[in-house]
Amino acid sequence: GQDDDGSPMHLFVIADGSGFSPDSIRAAGKRILWITNGIHPGEPDGIDASLLLAQALLESDQYMGMLARTAVCIVPVYNISGAKRRSSTSRANQNGPAEYGFRGNARNLDLNRDFMKMDARNTWAMAEALRDWDPDVYFETHVSNGADHQYVMELLTTQQDKLNGGLSAFMSDTMMPELHAWMDRRGALMGPYFETRGDTPEDGLYGFSDGARYSTGFNALFDRIGLLSETHMLKPYADRAN
């Protein structure tokens, strides 16, 4: 599809040779992981992280074996026009990189608020691609803007009651504990995504309810596990991207 400024949008598929279409991948009994980067191009960590992941999947024996069961679909930059509006001032406190894109697209639309009203051409293209690929897990990368906490990354999951019972239980009881354990083994602090009721944690914390206008909430309508990473803008960029 196309961005609102007419730029082409891209999808890269990494598979083990069983095919590069949704039908061939499903026929081979594989799962599909979908990764979206740059929905907010001022939050670029996932773009570089996905490049590192792609390189590992293609070159590392340790990671290459994952493709025996899973195909990985990567949107390198979803908001193309926003990524072209590069500066170092729209997120003044962010610790790297030297330049980054802008949150809004060519029509100043926030694409992570557009999945129900679908005002942007980007959103129409994404919705059609997700319909065709129907991934098992939808994953999206973000960077915090304002909160200051000890975690290198927070991880949001779609609200569990939006999924069928078996899928919800797998996400909550198996997938999330394994992801947190994996980060612990790497020595990287990861916490659940939360909001504060006041200026400090002592004022109270609450979870975020991802309505269907958000990407994870939209994907939950189709019974897909939705995950969203939120790295910490004040942490070193290398720690956030790796």
Side-chain angles (χ1 to χ4, degrees):
Q2 291 183 327
D3 185 281
D4 269 340
D5 75 345
S7 299
M9 298 165 59
H10 297 90
L11 172 66
F12 290 88
V13 180
I14 305 176
D16 69 349
S18 58
F20 294 95
S21 69
D23 290 343
S24 62
I25 290 169
R26 292 292 184 195
K30 292 178 171 49
R31 302 293 179 254
I32 297 175
L33 166 64
W34 182 288
I35 303 173
T36 298
N37 301 298
I39 192 169
H40 295 150
E43 306 169 17
D45 303 14
I47 298 172
D48 287 329
S50 285
L51 288 172
L52 294 172
L53 172 63
Q55 183 177 20
L57 289 172
L58 294 170
E59 297 179 358
S60 166
D61 292 338
Q62 177 183 1
Y63 288 97
M64 196 179 298
M66 295 180 180
L67 298 177
R69 297 184 178 182
T70 304
V72 180
C73 298
I74 299 176
V75 178
V77 182
Y78 176 35
N79 181 356
I80 305 293
S81 52
K84 294 177 179 178
R85 300 167 67 180
R86 299 178 62 79
S87 74
S88 59
T89 56
S90 63
R91 294 167 62 90
N93 295 321
Q94 185 161 285
N95 188 1
E99 289 189 348
Y100 37 80
F102 187 71
R103 187 181 185 94
N105 78 343
R107 296 169 58 204
N108 277 329
L109 293 171
D110 185 337
L111 298 183
N112 202 29
R113 307 292 188 275
D114 196 47
F115 278 92
M116 288 303 289
K117 57 189 179 70
M118 299 188 72
D119 286 336
R121 294 168 69 182
N122 308 63
T123 314
W124 281 95
M126 176 66 78
E128 290 177 359
L130 289 170
R131 178 200 63 201
D132 293 341
W133 283 89
D134 191 21
D136 298 278
V137 176
Y138 176 90
F139 183 75
E140 190 170 281
T141 61
H142 288 257
V143 184
S144 69
N145 188 12
D148 186 8
H149 48 69
Q150 62 180 320
Y151 303 112
V152 174
M153 188 173 84
E154 295 176 304
L155 191 65
L156 177 148
T157 64
T158 195
Q159 209 283 328
Q160 61 185 16
D161 293 334
K162 295 178 180 179
L163 303 175
N164 77 64
L167 197 61
S168 175
F170 171 76
M171 179 183 74
S172 301
D173 301 336
T174 301
M175 189 175 200
M176 294 309 297
E178 288 292 335
L179 288 173
H180 281 274
W182 185 77
M183 290 290 281
D184 287 345
R185 290 194 296 271
R186 299 185 72 220
L189 286 172
M190 183 171 75
Y193 185 91
F194 60 86
E195 302 281 353
T196 57
R197 294 193 179 279
D199 293 332
T200 67
E202 288 76 14
D203 295 324
L205 306 175
Y206 64 96
F208 181 79
S209 179
D210 54 338
R213 69 173 179 163
Y214 300 99
S215 60
T216 53
F218 175 79
N219 278 278
L221 296 176
F222 303 90
D223 217 27
R224 303 171 189 140
I225 292 176
L227 304 177
L228 185 151
S229 66
E230 183 102 356
T231 53
H232 189 347
M233 65 182 294
L234 300 179
K235 298 295 188 289
Y237 186 66
D239 294 345
R240 288 152 39 195
N242 284 311

